[in-house]
Amino acid sequence: MIKDMIFEDFQLAVEDAVVEKDRNLLDTTSELTRCAARLNRSIVYAATKCGCIELTSKQKGISGRLCEKCRFSVEKELGDLLFNAAAISSYFKISMYDVMLAERRYMELLGDYLHL
């Protein structure tokens, strides 16, 4: 399937980049943590400094839409997070696509009991 190839291609490209940069697992796990913090910071910035979104207690937790600048920032941080997750998957020879399929199955099986 096309989706399989896209995930596999992304993961292989990440693996090549990691080998080229000579990064190890510890570097990558610490970078993953840094990326998660930067993503959180981008979201908080959008809600506090920019104000393009508002955090709420409703179902989705936000109202409004990300402005162009904040959307770019969130997308960039999500990309960095995915890059590092793919790198960690590659270190352990785990297919990200298989992980996503397994998560989807858990969601279907657990339904309301799935803690998000």
Side-chain angles (χ1 to χ4, degrees):
M1 285 171 92
I2 297 286
K3 292 177 183 177
D4 293 342
M5 292 178 354
I6 291 170
F7 275 88
E8 185 176 339
D9 183 54
F10 176 72
Q11 193 165 350
L12 289 172
V14 167
E15 190 172 332
D16 290 344
V18 167
V19 167
E20 196 173 289
K21 291 180 180 181
D22 198 30
R23 281 184 38 192
N24 62 39
L25 179 61
L26 292 177
D27 292 338
T28 305
T29 55
S30 65
E31 186 66 17
L32 182 72
T33 303
R34 187 188 72 76
C35 291
R38 290 183 59 90
L39 175 60
N40 288 338
R41 183 174 174 236
S42 291
I43 294 167
V44 170
Y45 177 90
T48 57
K49 300 274 185 180
C50 180
C52 59
I53 62 170
E54 184 178 324
L55 303 179
T56 67
S57 60
K58 295 180 183 172
Q59 186 178 3
K60 288 188 180 183
I62 61 169
S63 64
R65 294 177 58 153
L66 291 171
C67 68
E68 189 174 322
K69 178 183 172 190
C70 291
R71 182 178 181 87
F72 177 81
S73 177
V74 168
E75 285 178 353
K76 170 73 172 100
E77 301 308 335
L78 279 170
D80 289 348
L81 198 67
L82 286 172
F83 179 92
N84 286 288
I88 290 171
S89 296
S90 293
Y91 285 123
F92 295 109
K93 305 295 183 215
I94 296 171
S95 164
M96 284 185 66
Y97 184 72
D98 290 345
V99 171
M100 290 183 74
L101 287 177
E103 275 303 307
R104 179 69 177 136
R105 275 186 244 119
Y106 292 142
M107 289 168 46
E108 290 171 356
L109 288 171
L110 298 176
D112 293 339
Y113 299 104
L114 181 68
H115 110 78
L116 296 172

